[in-house]
Amino acid sequence: MEAGEREKGLVEYVRKASPPPFLLKTYMLVEDPATDEVISWNGDGTAFVVWQPPEFARDLLPTFFKHSNFSSFVRQLNTYGFRKVATNRWEFSNDMFRKGERDQLCEIRRRKAWSNKSQPNVQAQAAAAAPPENDEQRSSSTSSSSEFTTLIVENKRLKQENGVLNSELAIMKKKCKELLDLVAVHGGGKAEMAEEESCEGPKLFGVRLGVKSEMEKKRKRSHEISKSAGFLIHANN
């Protein structure tokens, strides 16, 4: 056997004897009693369950896998032949991934080809179940950007409406002033005419009538007659 073939065989032996780091880390997480509230074996140890995906993605993935993407973790499981075996929880199974059978991890092989046609529904489900905090941050960022754009458009519209209202207000003020000036001019002329009529008497076809002077003459004559009659009565007595 040539040296190259021996070296290749040794590498293959070591590879088979050592489980992939991803599988080993996942097994350690499932086995650790301290993480049972988040991830643990199922009742008979034939599969493991991620009980709390948000906490798993936030607290455990960054520590063991240097990322916090639950969907990426599920895709990795699928490349190693894991299946989602429950519809109401994130339970994954592989025939070589069993409680107390760590040595069998070496028998699990990574799939060489990965096509979109072979992706099961678990990937879509995992994408939908991405950590809530990531979704909230992404949604919050999108919402904030949308709200900011809406506020800019609304502010621009209000400024335009304000300009139109100011123009209309200026026009109304001008018309109101003109109306007040017109009333003042015509009102003053009527007052003067009324004063002249009260002092000088009425007019007929533009000709002043002497009614007032005649009435004053009659009152004066009557007063003089009354005065003379009173003098005569006093003299006779």
Side-chain angles (χ1 to χ4, degrees):
M1 182 181 294
E2 296 182 359
E5 293 181 356
R6 287 198 301 269
E7 184 178 352
K8 183 178 180 181
L10 181 61
V11 171
E12 184 68 17
Y13 173 80
V14 172
R15 185 183 66 81
K16 291 182 178 180
S18 302
F22 172 80
L23 295 177
L24 186 59
K25 292 178 181 179
T26 302
Y27 191 88
M28 292 171 59
L29 276 173
V30 178
E31 282 277 275
D32 189 356
T35 62
D36 282 352
E37 292 185 358
V38 178
I39 181 173
S40 69
W41 295 106
N42 63 357
D44 56 7
T46 58
F48 72 91
V49 183
V50 180
W51 302 103
Q52 300 181 33
E55 287 76 5
F56 178 75
R58 183 188 63 206
D59 301 329
L60 299 181
L61 283 181
T63 302
F64 287 83
F65 301 100
K66 307 303 180 183
H67 68 82
S68 59
N69 193 326
F70 183 65
S71 299
S72 177
F73 174 76
V74 174
R75 285 194 296 270
Q76 282 284 89
L77 289 176
N78 190 70
T79 62
Y80 284 100
F82 284 80
R83 304 178 306 278
K84 188 174 185 291
V85 295
T87 58
N88 59 343
R89 62 186 184 183
W90 294 97
E91 183 174 352
F92 303 94
S93 174
N94 185 299
D95 294 339
M96 301 298 175
F97 196 92
R98 295 287 187 268
K99 183 177 182 180
E101 300 179 5
R102 177 174 173 175
D103 293 341
Q104 294 193 30
L105 296 179
C106 298
E107 302 298 327
I108 300 176
R109 295 289 180 266
R110 182 185 180 93
R111 294 179 180 177
K112 295 181 179 180
W114 180 255
S115 62
N116 292 332
K117 294 182 180 180
S118 63
Q119 293 181 6
N121 293 333
V122 63
Q123 182 181 358
Q125 295 173 352
E133 58 269 18
N134 291 343
D135 291 343
E136 291 176 2
Q137 291 173 358
R138 194 179 305 108
S139 176
S140 176
S141 177
T142 303
S143 177
S144 299
S145 177
S146 177
E147 291 177 0
F148 182 71
T149 303
T150 302
L151 288 175
I152 291 178
V153 174
E154 183 69 12
N155 187 43
K156 184 177 180 180
R157 184 183 65 82
L158 290 175
K159 284 184 177 180
Q160 292 176 348
E161 291 183 357
N162 190 38
V164 173
L165 290 175
N166 286 334
S167 299
E168 292 180 353
L169 181 61
I171 294 173
M172 294 300 295
K173 285 183 177 180
K174 183 178 179 181
K175 290 183 178 180
C176 185
K177 184 177 183 303
E178 293 175 353
L179 181 61
L180 290 175
D181 293 341
L182 185 62
V183 171
V185 171
H186 288 276
K190 290 181 180 180
E192 292 176 359
M193 291 173 62
E195 184 178 357
E196 290 177 357
E197 290 179 356
S198 62
C199 297
E200 300 179 2
K203 291 181 179 181
L204 180 61
F205 301 108
V207 180
R208 182 74 61 186
L209 300 178
V211 176
K212 183 177 179 180
S213 58
E214 292 295 331
M215 292 178 66
E216 289 180 353
K217 290 179 181 180
K218 290 182 179 180
R219 284 199 298 270
K220 185 175 181 181
R221 190 179 301 111
S222 176
H223 178 69
E224 291 177 352
I225 293 173
S226 298
K227 186 177 180 181
S228 299
F231 177 77
L232 293 174
I233 293 171
H234 179 73
N236 292 330
N237 293 335

